[in-house]
Each structure stands twice: as C-alpha cells, then as structure tokens.
Amino acid sequence: MGTNRSYPSDLTERLLAGVPPDARDAIVAGSRTRTVRSGEVLFRTGEPAELLFVLRKGRVQFSRESRSGHEIVMGILGPGDVFGIGSILTQRVHYLGTAQALDHGEVLVWTRETILALNDRYPQLSENALFVALRYAAEFADRHERLVTVTAEQRLVGALTRLGVRNGVRTPTGIEIRIKNEQLASLADVSPFTASRLLQQWERDGVLHKGRGFVRIICPEKFPLD
Amino acid sequence: MGTNRSYPSDLTERLLAGVPPDARDAIVAGSRTRTVRSGEVLFRTGEPAELLFVLRKGRVQFSRESRSGHEIVMGILGPGDVFGIGSILTQRVHYLGTAQALDHGEVLVWTRETILALNDRYPQLSENALFVALRYAAEFADRHERLVTVTAEQRLVGALTRLGVRNGVRTPTGIEIRIKNEQLASLADVSPFTASRLLQQWERDGVLHKGRGFVRIICPEKFPLD
DNA sequence: CGGAATCTTGAGCGGCTTCAAAACCTGTGG
DNA sequence: CCACAGGTTTTGAAGCCGCTCAAGATTCCG
C-alpha cells in the first residue's frame, strides 16, 4: 500500500469527516504523497477514474476543453479540496474534467483499488464523497443559473469575490488573487476582452489593482451592485 | 417504518445496484409508496433535504426559480430516477432544486431518518447515491459546456434528441415527447420564441410534427448537423 | 361557448463577442 | 545592461445572434 503514517491537521477533513482517528490513520496510510510541478496534468477529461486526490499545497485547475479547442475552467481548487471522486465507485466511471496543477504543490493520492478496499472497511468514505459530489453539483447549478440570468458584469463580480474568499490571500493593501484574465474570464463565462475591459474600468474606479497574472481587490464593497 | 414488502423489477436499480435481494427487501420495506397528482410539488429549492425519492410512474420536473421569477428547468425525470439524494447525508444539506410532478404518478419515499439507518446497515446505498450524484454533476457540466460553445439551434437539437431517448415513447409515426415549448426552451437554454421559430422551421422541413404540449420526431437524421 | 393557457409572428435592438493589431510586461541570455 | 522573444493584455470598430416586447392566433378544457 502507501507510505503515509500521519495526516495533516484538517486538510483531509472533507474526506475524513466523522471518521475516528485510528481509522483516519489507516486511510491516510493507504495514500501516497506526491509533489507536482506547475503545469503538470494529473488526469484528463474522459480517462477512467483510477486515482483519488486530496490537495495539500498549491492550486489545481479543473477544466474541460471544448472541441473548438478553447478551455472551459470549471474551478480552481485549493488545499483541502478532494477530486477524482469517481474512483471510489465499484462501477467504473470517467473523469469529467482535466486536473492541472497551477503551482508547484503536493497531493495525497489513492489508487482506485486501495480506496475501494478502504471504503469497504470505512464506508464513511463514500458518504463523504457523496457530500463533496453534491457540492460540486450545487456549484455547477449555481453557475448555470447565473449564466442564464445575470449580466456579464455581475458574473465577473461574482467570480472575483468567490475567488477572493476561496483562493485569495490577504495583503496589507487588499486581497490578492493569482489568476490570469483568461482563466477569470472563463470562470465567469465571459470573453477575455470583456473581462479586460471591466477590470480596467474597476481599476480606474479604485476598486482593484491588477497586473499580469493577478488581481488585488482593494475595495470589494465598491463593486457595482445591480 | 414503511409499508412496502415487494419491490418493482428494476425500477430501483440505480439505488439498489449491487445490493443482495434480501437487503433490497429490507430497504424497500423502509419506504412508503406515495401517489402524486400532476402539478404537485414534492420539495422546493433550499428546503432541508428530508426525503429521498425514487420515481416509479410518471414524470417529475426538476427546476429552479431565478429571482427574476422565471423558471430554469434542470431536467425531466422518469421512472427509475432517484432524487433528493442529499437526504442520505448525516450532515444536513438542502435541496438544490424544486421537484414537481408533471403527471399523475407514483414514488417511493424514505424519510431521512430511515434512509440513514438503512445506510448504516447497507452502505452500498450511499455509494450508489454517489454514482447518481456524479451523473448529475456530469450532466450539468455537459450542459454548461454546450451553453458556452454551441449555438441555440444546436442546443435545441441536443435537448430534443436527449429527451427523445430518455422520455420519448415510440409511436408508429415517430418518437413522441410530451413537453411544452417553454420547458423545452429552458432545457436547451434558449428563449421560448427561438424554440418556437426553430420547431416551426423543422416542421416545415418534415423533421418533426408538433402540437400543443408535445413534439413528435419523425426523422431525427434530418436535423441540422453543424 | 368562454376563458385561460399555449404558441406564433414580426420588428427592433442591444449586450457581448469577434477579430486584428498594437502595446505591454517579464524572464532569459548574450 | 540591454535586447529579444514569449506570453499576456489592451483597444477599437464592426457585427450578429438571439432576446425582448407586444400583439395576435390557436388550442384545449371546463
């Protein structure tokens, strides 16, 4: 099996919630710690779901590629996030997106075989996975609702604030988000041009500061409301 | 507990896959059979997920209401479909859509308390629920991809063919789908006017026949390709 | 038959996207 | 230190897809 004997404070909380400490040890012991380089692809859309991941350090982009070639970013994952959940199923399924590291980082990895055996002993695993899966479903549903109801500007505001809360880091001058225009645009379902223009405008209004590869939100309450 | 002692052939297959027959009996015995009238609401968006459903007869619309008041149809469920999956979680969650019967029909219902107890004995339940949840997530992801990549016309073709496969009934003259323009439009993420115009055009081309509340696909292979 | 729900039709228009090209940053290597 | 090449972002102008809105036509049901 694996090589881990200890587990990080609560970075596996989503997967191991409600699991007693000794069982946690056993489960984490079945994983392998793996470091990933920036840009490394962990799996691709449509591949059989053979591995389960918990992100420890760094960020991972979850995306799809449309046949017209352009990338649809479905989410930016951060430490603690669980992905590759299909691997917990006895029935084989396929990954529904591509996972690609955005930074140098670290993940816990279980093989399907291992996680299935563990789930046999600790069925709480699949229950927790169900919780995670439902959260993903809810996120997709929310995003879809926004896409068909609100304007491009409102979607961009929403995407920025969500990113700020989940992936932003506090700095003396505001909340900094490491993201490129193109990713941000895709997350908000807006063209990169529209994203650029709106960011531009908000920078003039003193709401945020931006540079290549990042946005720093200075004054979130000054975002347009309606 | 409930009143059911027998279970229908494989209408609970999604929920009970991989569960041995005697266990199936026990699980189904924990449910209550309930008939629903057309138009009846089983639960609403945001309510705590207290009940688990398996649809036996009839159809159920799964939808959301945007704050601007208009309805977003997320899916049309048919016999065998499982919904209200959040009820299997120990952690309380909320329904992420509204379930409304479209016909007079019949459902199996479990209370959260019951299904949690059953899941304790038969953890296969939450694994199967995970499978279902991932399918929903995949469906949302697909729909989103279509919305941002293909045209309104292509989405409408897609929605129609999917409906035909899942909810359509064979007739001598084609595959008949019971659906109103407005539902169809929402499923395809198109305005009802656009839907009407396109259907009109396809009727002229002899691809389908339509009336109030239904569409009969005569010649699916004649749908526009690109 | 009346009335409500559903569907159609036309005209107008508007929010975004598209496209091309230029400007801009940033790390690299001479 | 400077120049260069790559990726990234900006800008402007043009256009279009599909939506909106209002009004009318149709169908169904009680």
Side-chain angles (χ1 to χ4, degrees):
Chain A
M1 277 208 168
T3 58
N4 274 296
R5 301 225 161 266
S6 68
Y7 56 91
S9 54
D10 61 351
L11 281 190
T12 50
E13 191 51 36
R14 290 209 212 8
L15 188 63
L16 298 184
V19 176
D22 56 328
R24 292 191 176 207
D25 286 337
I27 293 171
V28 175
S31 75
R32 192 167 71 82
T33 301
R34 181 168 141 195
T35 64
V36 295
R37 296 177 210 302
S38 178
E40 190 175 342
V41 170
L42 302 178
F43 55 77
R44 290 185 187 281
T45 313
E47 286 176 0
E50 278 295 331
L51 298 173
L52 175 71
F53 296 85
V54 169
L55 184 54
R56 283 229 269 197
K57 297 178 193 156
R59 296 171 307 147
V60 165
Q61 183 192 64
F62 196 67
S63 67
R64 281 188 163 200
E65 184 150 347
S66 73
R67 68 200 44 182
S68 51
H70 95 267
E71 197 173 50
I72 305 169
V73 181
M74 302 166 77
I76 307 284
L77 307 179
D81 281 329
V82 187
F83 56 105
I85 292 176
S87 54
I88 306 186
L89 291 169
T90 41
Q91 175 147 10
R92 283 170 191 281
V93 299
H94 301 265
Y95 290 125
L96 47 82
T98 296
Q100 181 175 26
L102 291 179
D103 314 312
H104 178 82
E106 199 177 296
V107 290
L108 294 184
V109 193
W110 289 261
T111 64
R112 178 163 173 276
E113 195 188 18
T114 309
I115 201 67
L116 279 179
L118 286 168
N119 185 46
D120 238 46
R121 283 183 63 104
Y122 311 107
Q124 181 79 28
L125 278 176
S126 64
E127 200 195 305
N128 289 348
L130 172 58
F131 182 72
V132 174
L134 281 178
R135 292 215 31 91
Y136 283 136
E139 230 165 74
F140 290 162
D142 286 346
R143 177 166 173 179
H144 185 264
E145 177 179 335
R146 286 189 298 265
L147 179 48
V148 299
T149 50
V150 310
T151 67
E153 183 177 53
Q154 292 170 309
R155 294 200 301 275
L156 199 60
V157 171
L160 271 175
T161 50
R162 249 167 291 123
L163 278 170
V165 172
R166 286 180 42 88
N167 305 278
V169 310
R170 296 197 64 83
T171 75
T173 55
I175 298 192
E176 185 154 324
I177 305 165
R178 294 191 35 222
I179 197 161
K180 316 187 203 191
N181 275 6
E182 196 161 356
Q183 297 172 311
L184 178 59
S186 181
L187 274 174
D189 298 308
V190 158
S191 90
F193 307 95
T194 302
S196 171
R197 280 183 249 266
L198 287 170
L199 288 171
Q200 202 75 10
Q201 180 186 318
W202 292 332
E203 176 155 52
R204 277 196 294 272
D205 299 350
V207 183
L208 52 77
H209 174 68
K210 78 199 151 44
R212 131 178 318 227
F214 75 92
V215 175
R216 186 165 45 241
I217 302 176
I218 299 170
C219 198
E221 56 276 9
K222 300 281 286 182
F223 273 127
L225 295 169
D226 47 295
Chain B
M1 277 205 164
T3 58
N4 275 296
R5 301 226 159 265
S6 68
Y7 55 92
S9 55
D10 60 351
L11 281 189
T12 51
E13 191 52 35
R14 292 211 211 4
L15 187 63
L16 298 184
V19 175
D22 56 328
R24 292 193 176 206
D25 286 336
I27 293 169
V28 175
S31 75
R32 192 166 73 80
T33 301
R34 181 168 140 194
T35 64
V36 295
R37 298 177 208 301
S38 178
E40 191 174 340
V41 171
L42 301 179
F43 56 77
R44 291 185 186 281
T45 314
E47 287 176 357
E50 277 296 330
L51 298 172
L52 175 71
F53 295 85
V54 169
L55 185 54
R56 285 230 268 198
K57 297 179 193 156
R59 297 170 306 148
V60 164
Q61 184 192 68
F62 197 67
S63 67
R64 282 190 163 199
E65 185 150 345
S66 73
R67 69 199 44 181
S68 51
H70 95 268
E71 197 172 51
I72 305 169
V73 181
M74 303 167 77
I76 306 285
L77 307 179
D81 281 329
V82 187
F83 57 105
I85 292 175
S87 54
I88 305 186
L89 291 169
T90 41
Q91 176 147 10
R92 283 169 192 281
V93 299
H94 302 265
Y95 290 124
L96 48 81
T98 296
Q100 181 175 28
L102 292 179
D103 314 311
H104 178 81
E106 197 177 296
V107 290
L108 294 184
V109 192
W110 289 260
T111 65
R112 179 164 173 274
E113 194 189 18
T114 310
I115 201 68
L116 280 178
L118 286 168
N119 186 45
D120 238 46
R121 284 182 64 104
Y122 311 107
Q124 182 78 29
L125 278 175
S126 65
E127 200 195 305
N128 289 349
L130 172 58
F131 182 72
V132 173
L134 281 178
R135 295 216 27 92
Y136 283 136
E139 231 164 73
F140 289 162
D142 287 347
R143 178 166 172 179
H144 186 264
E145 177 178 336
R146 286 190 297 265
L147 180 48
V148 298
T149 49
V150 310
T151 67
E153 182 178 51
Q154 291 170 310
R155 295 200 300 276
L156 199 59
V157 171
L160 270 175
T161 51
R162 247 167 292 122
L163 278 170
V165 171
R166 286 181 40 89
N167 304 279
V169 311
R170 298 195 64 84
T171 75
T173 54
I175 299 194
E176 186 154 321
I177 305 165
R178 292 191 37 221
I179 197 162
K180 313 186 207 191
N181 275 6
E182 195 160 357
Q183 297 173 311
L184 177 59
S186 181
L187 275 174
D189 298 308
V190 158
S191 90
F193 307 96
T194 302
S196 172
R197 279 183 249 268
L198 288 170
L199 288 172
Q200 203 74 10
Q201 180 186 320
W202 292 332
E203 176 155 51
R204 277 195 295 273
D205 297 350
V207 182
L208 52 79
H209 175 68
K210 78 201 150 44
R212 139 176 311 229
F214 75 92
V215 175
R216 186 165 46 241
I217 302 176
I218 300 170
C219 198
E221 57 276 10
K222 298 280 286 183
F223 273 127
L225 295 169
D226 47 295

